[in-house]
Amino acid sequence: MDRIQNELHLYYRVLLTDTFRTVIKISQWFFTAPYPLYPYQHVTSIYQQRLYVLGKILFSALVFGAITAAPVLLYFMQDKAIFIYSVPVFIKMMYFIQTTLNIAGMGYVVFVYQFRTSFHRFYFDRLLHVLEQFGRRDIDVGLHQVKRAVRIVMLLTPVQIGMVGLMLLLRISDWGQLPRFLTFVAAHILGRSTTWVYMTIMGTVAILLRQMNDTLESFIIPPSDAHEALSAEVPQPTRLTAVDRRMIEKIRLLQLELMRVVEKINGGEFGTLLIIYIVVTFIYINIELLQLYQGKRQNTIPSDIFYIRLINCAFRFAGFIMFAYSNRLVQKQNYRVCSILHQLNKVDNEAACSNIFADAYKKD
């Protein structure tokens, strides 16, 4: 028995590690995940870890200094590069809020969050525990779909950065836009890497919830069986056995554990980073659309630049869809389990009533 459990533990750990490996490694490259992080990398000696942490802090300080200096230089040296057209004061305030949130968020990520391993251990250990307790052999199909969907979304980021770079090349005479472009790339990749981790976690949770709900749904009497039971001389609906009840209780507890994972990633430090990214994206889209509107109205913006910036806004807006869709997958399964449990409770009550009716029928 212990050997079988160890094999299952190893199988599901490798499967879960493979699902998260790509997004974790990219996050490590862009300062949104710690390194080394078990089980993706082997933990080295204490001396090597301290040396690596020191080097990463120095490199993070260099990157953060460059990112912070970019908007400052852009504002003081070429203030026209920030606002090409005349805009209201509150739009300028939105720009300053966006820049402040960008710098604060990136500073927190590169100096604090990238060294936190507790968050990644939290969701990985709990997902692994649920897989060991309830995982099926065909779970790899669902997790492969999650990994493939996230990779497709990841391919959109280089396309978006390339389009913004193309816009810069089309305006190559204005090198004052280069600091803004570098700031955009850094902030965008940091935000996108957290989005990919979020989508992978929520997708994995949704797959597990769906399999549990499929199991619960199998306890419900199929319509054909219910019709046969009603047509019989004495109604004999299927009752939930003691084994079924234990399985339902086990699934309930495991789903609560999955909901704790969802609560953790939607709140706490990770949730704060997501909120900052969402607010910054919202402000960016509003400022960009207003500038495009004014530029087109005054006929001072070329058509190619207009469409590139408009597509860039569409890519930015896609980030909202990613968050909403990931949450929708989990929410859909939550609604589904409520409906299934209601039907199971109804079936069990009807079975008890049918037994009473059957006893009375026999006495008559």
Side-chain angles (χ1 to χ4, degrees):
M1 182 63 68
D2 291 338
R3 184 178 63 85
I4 296 176
Q5 291 179 350
N6 291 335
E7 290 179 354
L8 285 176
H9 175 81
L10 180 61
Y11 171 75
Y12 288 126
R13 190 185 67 181
V14 171
L15 185 62
L16 198 60
T17 302
D18 183 66
T19 303
F20 283 89
R21 188 184 304 278
T22 303
V23 294
I24 291 297
K25 284 190 173 182
I26 293 178
S27 298
Q28 289 173 337
W29 276 101
F30 295 106
F31 309 104
T32 54
Y35 180 92
L37 181 63
Y38 181 82
Y40 311 101
Q41 295 92 18
H42 294 290
V43 179
T44 56
S45 64
I46 300 297
Y47 174 76
Q48 290 178 335
Q49 286 189 34
R50 290 179 178 176
L51 186 63
Y52 174 79
V53 169
L54 179 60
K56 199 167 185 179
I57 290 176
L58 295 176
F59 185 72
S60 300
L62 179 63
V63 173
F64 180 72
I67 293 174
T68 305
V72 175
L73 292 175
L74 186 63
Y75 177 74
F76 286 103
M77 297 179 64
Q78 294 194 10
D79 55 342
K80 292 183 179 180
I82 297 180
F83 297 109
I84 302 176
Y85 315 107
S86 176
V87 294
V89 176
F90 73 91
I91 296 296
K92 294 183 180 181
M93 294 299 298
M94 290 176 64
Y95 174 81
F96 294 133
I97 293 174
Q98 174 197 358
T99 304
T100 303
L101 289 176
N102 259 333
I103 294 175
M106 286 186 289
Y108 183 79
V109 168
V110 298
F111 290 119
V112 179
Y113 183 74
Q114 69 161 321
F115 300 104
R116 298 286 178 86
T117 60
S118 58
F119 169 73
H120 297 279
R121 288 200 305 265
F122 176 85
Y123 71 77
F124 189 90
D125 291 344
R126 278 152 183 79
L127 291 177
L128 180 59
H129 175 257
V130 173
L131 280 171
E132 291 177 357
Q133 295 296 317
F134 191 79
R136 301 175 180 175
R137 283 293 178 175
D138 60 345
I139 188 67
D140 60 326
V141 177
L143 294 181
H144 179 72
Q145 292 175 351
V146 173
K147 182 172 65 174
R148 183 177 58 185
V150 174
R151 285 183 175 180
I152 292 175
V153 172
M154 291 169 62
L155 292 177
L156 298 177
T157 299
V159 175
Q160 182 182 7
I161 294 176
M163 292 185 62
V164 178
L166 177 62
M167 182 178 65
L168 179 65
L169 291 176
L170 293 175
R171 303 172 59 184
I172 197 167
S173 59
D174 187 7
W175 288 103
Q177 292 290 328
L178 183 59
R180 187 181 184 184
F181 173 72
L182 296 177
T183 305
F184 159 78
V185 172
H188 188 66
I189 292 180
L190 286 176
R192 277 290 191 258
S193 61
T194 55
T195 305
W196 299 332
V197 174
Y198 183 85
M199 291 179 62
T200 307
I201 297 174
M202 296 294 281
T204 304
V205 170
I207 291 296
L208 289 170
L209 290 175
R210 187 180 67 186
Q211 286 204 345
M212 293 180 187
N213 291 339
D214 290 342
T215 301
L216 291 175
E217 207 167 39
S218 65
F219 295 142
I220 301 175
I221 305 174
S224 59
D225 295 344
H227 179 72
E228 293 175 1
L230 291 175
S231 62
E233 182 178 1
V234 178
Q236 297 178 353
T238 304
R239 292 196 60 180
L240 296 177
T241 64
V243 176
D244 295 337
R245 291 177 180 276
R246 285 195 294 268
M247 176 59 70
I248 293 173
E249 179 64 15
K250 178 181 179 181
I251 291 176
R252 185 185 70 86
L253 295 176
L254 291 177
Q255 290 204 2
L256 287 177
E257 190 167 355
L258 291 176
M259 289 302 101
R260 293 190 189 99
V261 174
V262 174
E263 181 183 7
K264 181 72 173 180
I265 66 173
N266 281 331
E269 293 177 324
F270 193 79
T272 303
L273 292 176
L274 293 178
I275 291 175
I276 291 176
Y277 175 71
I278 291 173
V279 172
V280 168
T281 302
F282 176 77
I283 295 175
Y284 176 88
I285 292 175
N286 279 273
I287 295 176
E288 193 76 358
L289 290 178
L290 179 60
Q291 289 189 352
L292 291 177
Y293 170 75
Q294 289 190 341
K296 203 64 178 177
R297 184 179 180 182
Q298 299 174 9
N299 199 23
T300 56
I301 182 172
S303 297
D304 52 355
I305 300 297
F306 174 82
Y307 288 113
I308 289 176
R309 294 176 68 176
L310 189 63
I311 295 174
N312 180 39
C313 288
F315 275 115
R316 286 277 192 157
F317 185 78
F320 294 130
I321 300 177
M322 296 175 195
F323 288 117
Y325 183 71
S326 300
N327 277 279
R328 178 59 181 169
L329 291 176
V330 175
Q331 188 181 38
K332 181 180 179 181
Q333 296 302 323
N334 285 336
Y335 289 152
R336 183 185 173 199
V337 72
C338 291
S339 175
I340 293 173
L341 290 177
H342 174 72
Q343 294 180 56
L344 286 173
N345 182 60
K346 183 179 179 181
V347 167
D348 200 35
N349 289 335
E350 287 180 352
C353 294
S354 298
N355 287 337
I356 296 174
F357 172 76
D359 292 340
Y361 182 83
K362 290 178 181 178
K363 290 179 181 179
D364 292 341

